[in-house]
């Protein structure tokens, strides 16, 4: 039953997404607010600052059309998300309302959307290999259950294709567990939305997915709420329904822009490039909701996608993300121009949790050593490309020429693969050994001799 | 005494304004009906501005505020070791029992368990004169001798009562000194340093088992080092290696605003690893503070002080303590966040103007000192710095470098070629070289310092030659310069690279570091002679012993293997006529 609450007609100021309300009774911080406009329509908002004299409210749907005669009601509690198992297969708006024309969702529970921090003591360390079928990820930057591994992309690169391929192919081997995808779109265009939805329907992935759509022309403030709704849903599915949840968030850059917009409207002291000083903490409150918990079966794995403005990895958005997430998959414009899909720049990509997810019993005993060797040899080959541009290939030593060829082979056979090609980890490692035969055996200094004897194909 | 009561006037995120109380700065207050813990950070007229250590959603103006009249303190006593705390010393395992897997607000739990009993053995008797810091008795905590000391506040007094040997919990009065009833717990306000008798100049190295650190850029016990590096360069792996293998007796590890999964890694790994010196689980010498990035910001701000105060307490017992703070940038950001909520005038990049002051106050608490009871103790501080975009000119890095004397620079380029640890040998430095040279000469070898200088020279020479090679290719270099490149490569690949995850290679004693470097130098000397005799560099570079040497560090019987490498080397060069 709804509580009877007072209506106030005391708006003193309206600025950007904010309204300032005077002379209220005590109002809680982050309480939900409903505002009724003179034309009868209703907007929702949240309290950002509450004092005896003045309450600052952020309106989710924007302040267009609100005037000082609008009436404001404080609802007495912070924002909640109704959750249910029946959400699987549904498409919701960025504010959490069904938009697929289906029946309303009957909630099993209502949960606070801010979420609480997982007690570090209760966390279980992520160590189960997730096979994505993409060699550059599985072989070189292995993803494990409970990890958050973002894709650092840029405009014009096929990050959405990669995200979809991962969503389609990701699996934990040898286990039959319930898998769910929570797809959180923040500020994507209508065309991108069409593409995603078509793909979800084509592959039948929608039935085990919950889709949240905040589009580019939806209000910025709503964009700040969308990932919280999605992650609350993910937490419910993972930790109460024991599902293995993969959360894909795109595009975090749009989210951060919204954060900046709201911060500017609040006239806060800006940090780097006008982004608020608390952006690290704010992003952490999203990313840190990934993980596993001791004695619970479910898990949340996150693949946030962000586009680096100006391809600049030192821009605050990729930079702060990189400090919170457990590695990153970086896409390269150069590889993309050379027609290589997926254009993963292996050298600057990293998975911090790789060591705990690979090796005997998880992937294969030689995995770590092979990937180290590939990294080192590819780096060497790439360095030589610079040199060749100056002195020509002929002046290279025999050994150097082999490295040079190796780098090309690496990009062609390991990095490149088809949109629908689902490579097993064994297949990836076999290709790796095959191209390593291009190098002299004594150059394979990262690999234990026993693996060389076991796996290196005889020429 | 009834505590002073007031009411909330305003709530904006973690900053709450109260009226009706008149506390002192940094007094602890309880905010709202749920009694959330907070600290006074500003007083303006009759308004008191409070940073709250917990989430403030739903808190309303008009709710009560209580002033405790006391500053933020930590509890110091038996039970600290093996503990895992949040930023304000609430034990995380206890919180999990109270509230489940997620941390909700409003829970309180004492830092030290009241249920455990400790075997107390008195070392003084009634009538003895004791002074501040003096040991009243001891408690065996794992393999550590935990000393129960007279708190610094009691400068002198006569023991009027002392408990007999026996089991007591930490609340039990175990002594009366000069009318003061003493338990095994001391409380100390976190923001101020605990006193020492005298600070010394540090002259003993903190041995870490990492070759690039011990040999090339050693840190003194009681010194401070900064590890700045962009993300992915291995700050945390380095910090964890240090926490595992450094020869400190006590380790305090502060996970300040970092990843939850990383803390889990520490929590699962440390209990399984054994301390090479005592044979016990590493956890038994460790105190962990985990305030991850999504836990409240104000508690993150406090976490480094909480950790430092615990470290000082163990130093006062005469132990060598290593304190790792990962990462100080997150701490600085917490200051920035709170400062901006207070609408303070920002300094550089939005950080508060007092950033430099806070950083130096913190690092100055590192020291080697004579404790109040005349023992020798130290705190070595190793602070990770996470510069935005890897740009070392940003305020936190710059202000840190002005204070610390050791700089271990982590390098993205090295990470890309999987050279670990990614400590850049050209940009890193130590200013303890002189103070520590005596120790290395006396304890390792007379020419240890010499050898380091030689290696540095080779690496420096390599970087100069690399510039030429980039232009014209290595083929056009004369043989002796090609050999310099080969020698540098050996130093890099054999000596500087070290695998933190390999069972043998993860820890390398200083003596072995010396032997390895000596072997590289020997190779270089022999090669020089061979080249003088007209042997081609390629021939030398492809000697089978190189490959064996490369692999030697992973062999289980590594010391014997190194001897064999030395013998091989001589023989194979003999084959070349040297």
């Amino acid at each position: 039953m709804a509580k009877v609450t007072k209506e106030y007609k005391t708006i003193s100021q309206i600025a950007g997404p904010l309204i300032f309300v005077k002379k209220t009774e005590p109002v809680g911080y982050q309480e939900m607010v409903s505002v009724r406009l003179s034309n009868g329509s209703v907007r929702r908002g949240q309290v950002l600052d509450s004092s005896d004299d003045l309450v600052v409210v952020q309106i989710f749907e924007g302040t267009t059309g609100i005037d000082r005669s609008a009436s404001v009601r404080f609802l007495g509690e912070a924002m909640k998300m109704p959750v249910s198992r029946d959400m699987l297969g549904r498409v919701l708006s960025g504010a959490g309302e069904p938009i697929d024309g289906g029946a309303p969702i009957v909630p099993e529970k209502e949960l606070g959307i801010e979420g609480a921090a997982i007690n570090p003591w209760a966390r279980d360390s992520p160590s189960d290999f997730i096979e994505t079928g993409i060699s550059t990820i599985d072989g070189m930057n292995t993803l494990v259950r409970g990890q958050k591994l973002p894709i650092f992309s840029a405009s014009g690169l096929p990050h959405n294709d990669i995200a979809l391929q991962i969503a389609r192919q990701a699996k934990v081997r040898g286990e039959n567990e319930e898998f769910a995808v929570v797809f959180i779109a923040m500020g994507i265009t209508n065309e991108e939305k069409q593409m995603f939805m078509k793909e979800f329907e084509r592959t039948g992935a929608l039935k085990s997915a919950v889709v949240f759509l905040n589009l580019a022309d939806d209000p910025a403030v709503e964009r700040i709420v969308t990932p919280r709704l999605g992650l609350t849903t993910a937490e419910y599915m993972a930790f109460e329904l024991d599902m293995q949840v993969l959360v894909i968030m795109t595009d975090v850059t749009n989210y951060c822009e919204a954060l900046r917009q709201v911060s500017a409207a609040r006239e806060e002291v800006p940090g780097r490039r006008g982004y608020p000083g608390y952006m690290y903490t704010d992003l952490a409150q999203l990313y840190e909701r990934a993980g596993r918990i001791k004695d619970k079966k479910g898990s949340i794995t996150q693949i946030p996608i962000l586009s680096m403005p100006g391809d600049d990895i030192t821009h605050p958005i990729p930079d702060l993300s990189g400090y919170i997430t457990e590695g990153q998959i970086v896409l390269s414009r150069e590889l993309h121009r050379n027609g290589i899909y997926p254009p993963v720049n292996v050298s600057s990509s990293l998975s911090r949790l790789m060591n705990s997810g690979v090796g005997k019993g998880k992937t294969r005993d030689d995995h770590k050593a092979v990937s180290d060797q590939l990294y080192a040899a590819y780096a060497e080959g790439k360095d030589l490309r610079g040199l060749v541009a100056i002195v020509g290939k002929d002046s290279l030593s025999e050994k150097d020429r082999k490295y040079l060829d190796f780098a090309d082979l690496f990009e062609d056979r390991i990095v490149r693969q088809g949109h629908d090609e689902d490579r097993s980890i064994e297949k990836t490692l076999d290709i790796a050994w095959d191209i390593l035969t291009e190098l002299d055996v004594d150059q394979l200094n990262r690999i234990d001799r026993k693996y060389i004897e076991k796996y290196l194909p005889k020429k | 005494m009834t505590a002073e009561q007031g009411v909330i006037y305003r709530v904006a995120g973690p900053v709450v304004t109260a009226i009706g109380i008149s506390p002192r700065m940094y007094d602890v207050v309880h905010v709202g009906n749920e009694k959330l813990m907070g600290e006074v950070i500003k007083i303006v007229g009759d308004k008191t501005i409070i940073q709250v250590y917990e989430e403030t959603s739903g808190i309303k103006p008009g709710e009560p505020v209580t002033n405790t009249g006391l500053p933020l303190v930590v509890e110091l006593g038996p039970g600290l070791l093996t503990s895992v705390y949040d930023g304000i010393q609430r034990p995380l395992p206890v919180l999990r029992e109270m509230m489940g897997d997620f941390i909700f607000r409003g829970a309180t739990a004492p830092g030290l368990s009241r249920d455990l009993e400790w075997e107390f053995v008195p070392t003084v008797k009634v009538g003895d004169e004791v002074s501040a810091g003096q040991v009243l008795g001891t408690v065996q905590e794992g393999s550590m001798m935990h000393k129960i000391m007279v708190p610094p506040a009691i400068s002198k007094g006569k023991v009027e009562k002392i408990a007999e040997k026996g089991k007591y919990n930490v609340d039990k009065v175990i002594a009366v000194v000069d009318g003061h009833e003493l338990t095994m717990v001391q409380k100390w306000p976190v923001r101020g340093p605990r006193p020492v008798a005298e600070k010394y100049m540090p002259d003993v190295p903190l041995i870490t088992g990492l070759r690039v650190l011990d040999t090339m850029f050693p840190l003194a016990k009681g010194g401070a080092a900064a590890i700045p590096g962009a993300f992915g360069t291995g700050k945390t792996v380095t910090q964890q290696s240090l926490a595992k293998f450094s020869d400190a007796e006590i380790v305090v590890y502060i996970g300040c605003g970092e990843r939850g999964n990383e803390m889990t890694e520490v929590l699962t790994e440390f209990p399984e690893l054994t301390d090479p010196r005592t044979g016990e689980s590493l956890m038994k010498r460790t105190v962990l503070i985990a305030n991850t990035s999504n836990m409240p910001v104000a508690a993150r701000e406090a976490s480094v002080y909480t950790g430092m105060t615990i470290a000082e307490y163990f130093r006062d017992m005469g132990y060598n303590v290593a304190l790792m703070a990962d990462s100080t940038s997150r701490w600085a950001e917490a200051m920035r966040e709170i400062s901006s909520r207070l609408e303070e005038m920002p300094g550089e990049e939005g950080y508060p103007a007092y950033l430099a002051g806070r950083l130096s106050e913190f690092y100055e608490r590192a020291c080697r000192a004579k404790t109040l009871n005349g023992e020798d103790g130290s705190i070595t501080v190793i602070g990770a710095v996470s510069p935005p975009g890897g740009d070392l000119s940003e305020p936190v890095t710059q202000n840190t470098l002005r204070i610390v004397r050791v700089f271990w620079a982590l390098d993205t380029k090295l990470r890309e070629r999987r050279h670990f640890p990614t400590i850049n040998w050209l940009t890193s430095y130590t200013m303890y070289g002189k103070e520590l040279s005596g120790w290395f000469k006396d304890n390792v070898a007379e020419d240890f310092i010499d050898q380091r200088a030689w290696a540095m020279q080779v690496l420096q020479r390599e970087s100069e030659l690399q510039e030429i090679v980039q232009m014209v290719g290595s083929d056009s270099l004369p043989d002796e310069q090609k050999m310099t490149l080969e020698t540098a490569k050996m130093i890099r690949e054999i000596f500087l690279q070290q695998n933190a995850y390999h069972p043998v290679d993860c820890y390398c004693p200083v003596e072995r570091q010396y032997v390895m470097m000596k072997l590289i130098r020997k190779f270089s000397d022999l090669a020089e002679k061979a080249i003088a005799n007209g042997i081609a560099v390629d021939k030398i570079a492809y000697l089978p012993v190189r490959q064996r040497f490369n692999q030697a560090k992973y062999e289980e019987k590594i010391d014997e293997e190194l001897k064999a490498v030395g013998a091989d080397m001589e023989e194979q060069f003999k084959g070349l006529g040297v």
Side-chain angles (χ1 to χ4, degrees):
Chain A
M1 196 190 88
K3 269 177 279 179
V4 182
T5 51
K6 283 190 184 164
E7 283 202 2
Y8 296 94
K9 289 202 166 215
T10 50
I11 297 178
S12 67
Q13 190 186 331
I14 306 173
L18 307 181
I19 61 172
F20 298 73
V21 189
K22 273 173 57 176
K23 291 188 205 133
T24 60
E25 283 182 1
V27 170
Y29 175 65
Q30 290 190 334
E31 208 170 276
M32 288 300 290
V33 180
S34 101
V35 178
R36 198 149 45 89
L37 275 59
S38 40
N39 65 5
S41 65
V42 174
R43 306 266 170 91
R44 292 189 305 163
Q46 190 175 26
V47 174
L48 287 185
D49 189 333
S50 172
S51 71
D52 276 358
D53 316 324
L54 192 68
V55 178
V56 183
V57 179
Q58 163 174 305
I59 305 296
F60 294 140
E61 298 93 342
T63 48
T64 315
I66 300 185
D67 60 10
R68 289 187 52 201
S69 65
S71 60
V72 180
R73 273 197 317 139
F74 297 95
L75 304 179
E77 58 176 19
M79 190 162 182
K80 295 236 162 115
M81 173 78 197
V83 288
S84 148
R85 177 184 274 275
D86 299 336
M87 292 170 80
L88 285 173
R90 301 301 301 268
V91 183
L92 311 174
S93 74
E97 313 286 348
I99 51 170
D100 52 3
I105 292 161
V106 182
E108 283 163 38
K109 237 181 183 177
E110 295 210 334
L111 299 172
I113 64 161
E114 290 299 325
I118 301 178
N119 186 332
W121 181 258
R123 275 182 189 270
D124 202 355
S125 59
S127 58
D128 302 323
F129 169 59
I130 295 183
E131 193 176 68
T132 65
I134 296 176
S135 294
T136 38
I137 297 178
D138 294 351
M140 310 294 286
N141 298 288
T142 315
L143 176 68
V144 297
R145 211 141 72 167
Q147 185 175 14
K148 40 197 179 292
L149 187 65
I151 297 178
F152 284 11
S153 183
S155 33
L157 297 179
H159 44 265
N160 289 338
D161 293 347
I162 300 175
L164 282 168
Q165 191 171 359
I166 295 173
R168 205 163 54 227
Q169 296 179 170
K171 57 200 155 295
V172 174
R173 306 205 315 169
E175 284 179 53
N176 201 6
E177 278 165 333
E178 214 174 343
F179 221 82
V181 173
V182 172
F183 184 84
I184 304 169
M186 298 172 282
I188 62 168
T189 61
N190 187 44
E191 285 167 23
E192 283 174 304
K193 173 198 135 182
Q194 308 272 358
M195 194 194 93
F196 278 123
M197 293 315 298
K198 213 164 103 193
E199 188 65 16
F200 274 129
E201 277 156 25
R202 179 180 77 89
T203 58
L206 188 60
K207 65 175 191 301
S208 59
V210 187
V211 179
F212 288 84
L213 291 175
N214 165 280
L215 299 184
D217 55 353
D218 287 336
V221 181
E222 186 186 286
R223 207 158 292 155
I224 296 177
V225 178
T226 309
R228 294 184 162 79
L229 298 174
L231 287 164
T232 304
T233 310
E235 274 170 5
Y236 174 73
M237 294 184 161
F239 302 129
E240 301 198 26
L241 303 181
D242 292 340
M243 293 185 189
Q244 311 304 328
V245 183
L246 177 68
V247 178
I248 296 177
M249 297 195 268
T250 183
D251 176 330
V252 175
T253 304
N254 296 337
Y255 171 82
C256 293
E257 295 300 337
L259 210 57
R260 175 162 71 176
Q261 188 182 333
V262 171
S263 167
R266 292 167 68 176
E267 297 179 4
E268 290 170 335
V269 180
R272 272 203 309 154
R273 301 218 193 168
Y275 293 99
Y278 50 80
M279 194 158 87
Y280 176 84
T281 307
D282 192 281
L283 284 173
Q285 279 163 355
L286 303 183
Y287 294 143
E288 280 291 332
R289 289 170 86 168
R292 293 175 63 203
I293 293 180
K294 284 179 201 160
D295 312 321
K296 295 219 164 147
K297 282 200 199 114
S299 66
I300 297 180
T301 310
Q302 281 186 15
I303 302 190
I305 297 168
L306 59 90
S307 43
M308 300 182 281
D311 292 10
D312 177 12
I313 199 169
T314 68
H315 184 281
I317 298 170
D319 192 56
L320 294 180
S321 296
Y323 276 120
I324 307 165
T325 55
E326 282 126 1
Q328 65 280 336
I329 304 292
V330 183
L331 302 190
S332 146
R333 199 171 289 281
E334 208 184 315
L335 289 174
H336 181 62
R337 276 199 209 109
N338 285 330
I340 293 174
Y341 173 90
V344 174
N345 180 347
V346 170
S347 316
S348 37
S349 300
L350 170 77
S351 164
R352 286 164 195 275
L353 301 179
M354 176 166 178
N355 283 330
S356 53
V358 303
K360 208 173 170 181
K362 291 178 174 158
T363 53
R364 208 166 82 180
D365 50 0
D366 58 328
H367 188 159
K368 178 84 179 73
V370 168
S371 108
D372 278 351
Q373 187 67 61
L374 291 175
Y375 266 113
Y378 181 51
E380 183 111 27
K382 282 217 300 193
D383 277 358
L384 287 165
R385 283 184 186 164
L387 184 58
V388 168
I390 301 170
V391 299
K393 198 167 176 178
D394 291 345
S395 57
L396 290 188
S397 67
E398 171 74 21
K399 181 185 96 186
D400 285 353
R401 237 171 291 160
K402 284 184 175 169
Y403 273 111
L404 198 61
D405 293 341
F406 175 82
D408 292 339
L409 268 175
F410 178 82
E411 288 171 4
D412 193 45
R413 300 201 46 205
I414 295 276
V415 181
R416 186 199 297 276
Q417 70 185 81
H419 280 76
D420 286 314
E421 184 180 354
D422 189 357
R423 270 189 209 155
S424 71
I425 181 66
E426 288 79 13
K427 174 88 178 146
T428 297
L429 290 174
D430 290 345
I431 299 175
W433 279 107
D434 198 38
I435 62 171
L436 283 172
T437 56
E438 290 299 310
L439 301 176
D440 295 330
V441 177
D442 67 348
Q443 294 294 315
L444 303 183
N445 55 359
R446 307 278 176 131
I447 308 180
D448 226 307
R449 238 159 288 166
K450 63 174 187 238
Y451 297 135
I452 294 183
E453 278 154 26
K454 188 166 165 192
Y455 293 108
L456 190 71
K458 309 284 178 282
K459 272 202 206 174
Chain B
M1 185 191 105
T2 50
E4 202 185 4
Q5 283 266 7
V7 292
I8 297 178
Y9 167 77
R10 176 183 173 194
V11 190
V15 176
V16 167
T17 309
I19 44 176
I21 51 170
S22 42
R24 292 167 300 181
M25 279 292 272
Y26 293 109
D27 274 357
V28 169
V29 291
H30 291 132
V31 175
N33 298 329
E34 291 171 73
K35 297 198 186 326
L36 308 183
M37 194 161 136
E39 207 180 3
V40 175
I41 50 170
K42 194 172 172 181
I43 298 169
V44 185
D46 59 350
K47 291 189 178 127
T48 301
I49 292 145
I50 301 158
Q51 62 173 355
V52 180
Y53 293 126
E54 299 183 72
E55 219 248 315
T56 51
S57 152
I59 306 290
K60 292 177 179 167
E63 289 187 26
V65 175
T66 320
N67 178 20
T68 63
L70 297 169
L72 180 64
V73 293
V74 288
E75 290 194 335
L76 303 165
L80 280 174
L81 293 176
T82 74
S83 282
V84 184
Y85 295 120
D86 77 350
I88 45 174
Q89 213 203 5
R90 295 186 302 179
L92 291 175
V94 177
L95 292 189
R96 188 182 182 213
E97 270 166 40
M98 292 168 68
M99 325 187 260
D101 298 329
F102 293 86
I103 299 180
F104 299 100
R105 66 184 185 201
T108 49
L112 298 174
S113 164
R114 265 46 185 178
D115 301 335
L116 292 174
E117 292 199 325
W118 301 93
E119 174 90 15
F120 174 79
V121 183
T123 52
V124 292
K125 45 186 198 308
V126 173
D128 283 359
E129 277 285 339
V130 292
S131 57
Q134 199 162 329
V135 178
L136 294 169
T138 59
V139 162
Q140 193 68 35
E141 194 180 351
S143 58
M144 294 300 301
M145 180 71 83
H146 194 118
K147 298 170 187 169
I148 307 300
M149 300 171 290
V150 179
I154 303 173
S155 57
K156 238 183 182 42
K158 207 172 235 153
V159 177
E160 288 160 14
K161 257 189 208 164
I162 182 86
E164 297 196 358
K165 182 174 168 181
K167 289 202 155 199
Y168 307 99
N169 85 352
V170 289
D171 274 341
K172 180 88 181 162
V173 174
I174 47 98
V176 177
V177 174
D178 213 16
H180 301 277
E181 293 194 331
L182 301 179
T183 65
M184 287 193 270
V185 184
Q186 294 190 19
K187 291 190 177 172
W188 188 264
V190 296
R191 294 185 188 272
R194 286 171 64 88
V196 292
E198 189 188 349
K199 288 192 176 183
Y200 297 135
M201 195 66 197
D203 58 6
V204 178
L206 182 81
I207 299 300
T208 66
L210 287 173
R211 290 184 287 269
V212 59
L213 302 189
D214 291 348
T215 299
M216 310 300 277
F217 308 106
L219 167 64
K221 283 200 177 92
I227 319 185
F231 60 81
T233 46
K235 279 182 298 297
T236 301
V237 178
T238 312
Q239 289 271 36
Q240 290 183 3
S241 286
L242 291 171
K244 285 178 206 163
F245 301 120
S246 68
D247 66 342
E249 285 135 341
I250 303 285
V251 171
V252 179
Y253 191 98
I254 310 170
C256 172
E258 287 288 310
R259 304 176 180 88
N261 280 336
E262 257 161 22
M263 292 315 298
T264 313
E265 211 173 288
V266 174
L267 290 172
T268 42
E269 223 174 276
F270 275 36
E272 282 166 25
L273 291 165
T274 52
D275 181 346
R277 282 158 292 270
T278 60
E280 291 225 43
S281 134
L282 268 184
M283 203 57 204
K284 293 205 169 162
R285 64 165 194 175
T286 308
V287 183
L288 278 176
I289 300 193
N291 209 93
T292 56
S293 54
N294 54 343
M295 287 159 73
V297 181
R300 190 201 300 169
E301 194 269 337
S303 65
V304 296
Y305 297 109
T306 300
M308 182 56 96
T309 308
I310 292 173
E312 284 176 340
Y313 173 68
F314 283 107
R315 172 206 63 200
D316 291 347
M317 293 180 208
Y319 291 123
N320 293 307
V321 185
L323 178 133
M324 282 84 192
D326 184 14
S327 145
T328 58
S329 294
R330 304 297 160 230
W331 170 48
E333 277 165 12
M335 281 191 246
R336 173 166 74 182
E337 201 171 321
I338 289 157
S339 161
S340 103
R341 301 246 187 214
L342 293 179
E343 289 160 16
E344 289 176 337
M345 178 76 86
E348 222 179 325
E349 294 201 12
Y351 285 105
Y354 45 78
L355 172 72
R358 293 278 170 88
L359 280 169
S360 32
E361 273 165 34
F362 171 71
Y363 280 107
E364 275 298 291
R365 287 171 81 169
C367 65
R368 195 178 142 231
K370 188 164 131 186
T371 62
L372 292 180
N373 55 33
E375 294 209 56
D376 200 353
S378 72
I379 297 179
T380 314
V381 175
I382 299 146
V385 185
S386 322
D391 168 18
L392 299 187
S393 68
E394 60 90 39
V396 181
T397 317
Q398 282 307 310
N399 285 313
T400 303
L401 289 185
R402 281 213 298 276
I403 313 158
V404 302
R405 296 180 69 201
V406 175
F407 172 57
W408 294 327
L410 303 183
D411 194 323
T412 317
K413 288 250 161 54
L414 292 175
R415 194 261 295 173
E416 288 182 0
R417 43 187 69 239
R418 293 303 188 260
H419 174 114
F420 289 111
T422 60
I423 293 163
N424 184 312
W425 48 91
L426 296 172
T427 47
S428 301
Y429 61 77
T430 174
M431 283 157 74
Y432 288 110
K434 215 160 76 199
E435 283 92 351
L436 299 179
S437 64
W439 188 93
F440 282 111
K441 280 183 181 160
D442 295 346
N443 292 280
V444 191
E446 192 59 39
D447 60 344
F448 186 88
I449 304 298
D450 242 26
Q451 224 165 251
R452 164 173 43 194
W454 170 80
M456 274 313 293
Q457 239 167 17
V458 173
L459 292 169
Q460 175 57 34
R461 189 90 187 94
E462 181 199 30
S463 82
E464 292 163 19
L465 290 173
Q466 280 301 351
E467 282 175 27
I468 304 175
V469 171
Q470 286 300 319
M471 304 292 292
V472 297
S474 61
D475 270 2
S476 46
L477 292 182
D479 269 9
E480 88 202 64
Q481 292 187 349
K482 274 191 206 154
M483 194 54 223
T484 306
L485 292 182
E486 286 296 331
T487 309
K489 192 172 174 195
M490 288 174 76
I491 297 177
R492 282 190 283 113
E493 288 183 354
I494 298 173
F495 194 82
L496 298 178
Q497 280 184 17
Q498 191 167 352
N499 185 344
Y501 298 100
H502 192 279
V504 178
D505 198 34
C506 62
Y507 181 83
C508 185
V510 201
E511 293 74 20
R512 191 185 298 151
Q513 299 183 14
Y514 171 76
V515 171
M516 287 172 77
M517 188 59 95
K518 203 173 176 75
L519 275 176
I520 299 175
R521 194 169 183 180
K522 182 173 176 176
F523 189 95
S524 160
D525 288 347
L526 289 168
E528 209 173 293
K529 279 187 205 152
I531 287 168
N533 291 350
I535 311 270
V537 173
D538 277 356
K539 247 187 181 164
I540 300 170
Y542 279 101
L543 283 179
V545 69
R546 278 267 320 253
Q547 178 67 14
R548 185 167 186 185
F549 197 0
N550 261 334
Q551 295 279 345
K553 57 185 171 187
Y554 305 122
E555 296 294 328
E556 210 156 298
K557 295 186 170 162
I558 174 169
D559 292 313
E560 287 150 45
E561 179 67 15
L562 286 172
K563 264 190 204 128
V565 166
D568 266 16
M569 205 182 278
E570 278 172 25
E571 202 159 299
Q572 289 173 18
F573 271 102
K574 235 177 233 158
L576 295 177
V578 180

